[in-house]
Amino acid sequence: METEHRVSTLELFFDLVFVFTITQLTVLLADDLSLRGAGQVVLIFTVLFWMYGGYAHLTNQVPPDRTVRRVLLMLAMGAFMVCALAVPTAFGAGGIAFGLGYLLVVLVHSALFTQAHGRGVLWFALPNALCALSVTAAGFFDGLPAWGLWMLALLLQFVTPVVVQRVAASGTAGAGEAEGAQGAQGAQGAEAPGQTVGDQLGGMNAAHLVERHGLLLIIVFGESVIAIGIGVGALPLSLGIAGGAFLALAIASAMWWMYFVRDEGRAEEVFAQTPPERRFKLAMVAYYYAFLPMLLGIAVFAAGVKKAIGHLGEHLHTGPAVALAGGVALYLAGDLAFRAALRIGPVRYRAAALLLALATIPVGTGRSGAGQLVALACVLVAALVAESRRSPAGAARGTAAEPVTGSG
């Protein structure tokens, strides 16, 4: 029986600081709705979210229940704050500050993780450190060299999970790692006789994993609402502005519904039924690769609303119209990947909604921003209604989850 392990208030505090980086990325994108701006946002967020996932995995196995751990976690929060403040100029004057903040994030993570894995931390600490050094080096350059170093950082991140999975599968780490793993088990009050080092490297507490990412998602939704308010700014609160804000909130609410009403509870069931040694791989697909577009989609949609909110009665420029539709489509693409990874469904209604969301771009550019918001809200609500009518009743209650037991 898996020990109950829930998210602590310090972890939630940590998430609030991390989400400030997403707020900054929304501002960056709203100021530069171009392919270049979008590329910078994707690179910065992918690098940052990798280490957020690292800390979610960390506190899953090494809970912040001791003074030293709490202080180190707060230090990491400060480092993430430096990164967030440097986001607007990460490809310019703030690149070095961003890189040094990120390097501190990595070093604190590695130091805390030694309590779970001992020397086994080197399997992911070294690539993470090289990634941070690559990002820091990018701050000394402009143009293609800087972009190349950022891409190198991404490459290191994508290679690291493969190495960790192979170590977890082989269980060949040394005695130092085994002792560290036993210490982490004792810290959580969980005894696991005969558990291998591979189990420790790969295993994650299902309830904590799902809850932590669900809380992150709801905080990001909250930040998107704040972005809408910032977009209104000093504009007079007319009926059109109020209606546009209401429509934007309705769309965000429908996106919230898609994950929290159906998917979250079913995800916890799937992870609980998945053997511990296979959870790392499943978590990487579901809560890193799939969550990336979901979180980015919310930020992109918020950037679109921020640019469009004062011009809802007019024809939108291509950038804001694409951001509105593309943000919703990105979120749906991530949600589809999430459902595919966990083998939960149905998916056809959401796949149709993704295509229809993109089809609203001409509505924004050819008619009005308000028309595009109405169209997006109708698409999402229609998908949810169709899903509730056609799906088995048990699916809505989260009882239709299929266990993932294969090696993948």
Side-chain angles (χ1 to χ4, degrees):
M1 183 87 179
E2 190 169 71
T3 305
E4 185 76 4
H5 179 198
R6 291 295 178 179
V7 177
S8 68
T9 54
L10 181 56
E11 291 172 82
L12 184 58
F13 191 14
F14 181 96
D15 291 355
L16 287 168
V17 174
F18 170 75
V19 169
F20 179 51
T21 65
I22 300 179
T23 303
Q24 290 284 78
L25 289 169
T26 300
V27 173
L28 176 62
L29 184 61
D31 290 342
D32 186 10
L33 279 174
S34 65
L35 287 176
R36 178 178 177 275
Q40 289 182 357
V41 167
V42 170
L43 283 173
I44 294 170
F45 182 65
T46 303
V47 166
L48 287 172
F49 189 55
W50 168 257
M51 281 313 300
Y52 172 83
Y55 274 88
H57 197 164
L58 165 70
T59 54
N60 192 285
Q61 297 189 358
V62 187
D65 54 5
R66 303 175 187 176
T67 299
V68 172
R69 294 178 184 179
R70 291 175 183 138
V71 171
L72 286 173
L73 199 58
M74 289 177 180
L75 179 60
M77 289 162 58
F80 263 123
M81 178 64 77
V82 171
C83 292
L85 293 171
V87 159
T89 55
F91 277 77
I96 298 173
F98 182 97
L100 292 175
Y102 190 72
L103 180 60
L104 181 57
V105 167
V106 169
L107 293 176
V108 173
H109 175 264
S110 301
L112 277 167
F113 236 137
T114 57
Q115 298 186 45
H117 304 316
R119 292 190 302 274
V121 73
L122 294 176
W123 291 106
F124 45 85
L126 287 178
N128 285 344
L130 290 173
C131 171
L133 290 172
S134 181
V135 170
T136 304
F140 291 92
F141 299 94
D142 295 314
L144 287 178
W147 284 80
L149 287 165
W150 275 89
M151 293 300 295
L152 175 60
L154 287 191
L155 178 61
L156 288 166
Q157 288 183 351
F158 292 139
V159 168
T160 303
V162 178
V163 175
V164 173
Q165 288 170 35
R166 291 188 177 181
V167 172
S170 65
T172 56
E177 294 90 312
E179 292 172 3
Q182 291 169 3
Q185 290 170 2
Q188 298 181 43
E191 296 294 336
Q195 190 175 41
T196 67
V197 175
D199 293 333
Q200 279 295 310
L201 284 170
M204 300 184 76
N205 182 281
H208 180 274
L209 174 72
V210 175
E211 183 184 18
R212 182 76 185 271
H213 287 85
L215 288 171
L216 172 68
L217 193 60
I218 197 64
I219 295 171
V220 174
F221 274 121
E223 289 295 316
S224 73
V225 173
I226 293 173
I228 293 171
I230 293 173
V232 173
L235 295 173
L237 189 57
S238 64
L239 183 62
I241 294 292
F246 182 86
L247 285 170
L249 183 59
I251 293 168
S253 298
M255 293 161 71
W256 169 90
W257 194 290
M258 286 184 161
Y259 178 81
F260 287 99
V261 172
R262 290 175 176 267
D263 292 2
E264 187 181 38
R266 298 166 70 185
E268 184 170 338
E269 291 179 2
V270 171
F271 272 99
Q273 296 169 23
T274 301
E277 68 274 9
R278 305 201 189 284
R279 288 181 189 171
F280 177 82
K281 182 177 181 179
L282 185 60
M284 279 298 304
V285 177
Y287 284 117
Y288 180 67
Y289 297 119
F291 248 56
L292 268 173
M294 290 177 70
L295 296 170
L296 277 173
I298 297 171
V300 171
F301 173 74
V305 173
K306 186 178 179 183
K307 296 294 289 186
I309 195 75
H311 310 279
L312 293 177
E314 310 167 13
H315 297 251
L316 294 180
H317 293 296
T318 302
V322 170
L324 289 173
V328 173
L330 259 180
Y331 180 85
L332 289 170
D335 182 64
L336 288 169
F338 181 84
R339 288 190 149 204
L342 299 179
R343 302 178 189 175
I344 57 179
V347 298
R348 58 186 180 277
Y349 303 111
R350 301 188 185 195
L354 188 159
L355 297 175
L356 290 173
L358 292 174
T360 67
I361 295 175
V363 177
T365 56
R367 287 186 171 273
S368 67
Q372 185 176 7
L373 288 177
V374 169
L376 284 169
C378 289
V379 165
L380 293 178
V381 171
L384 288 170
V385 170
E387 208 170 73
S388 66
R389 289 182 175 179
R390 298 293 181 91
S391 302
R397 296 192 300 269
T399 59
E402 178 182 341
V404 179
T405 57
S407 60

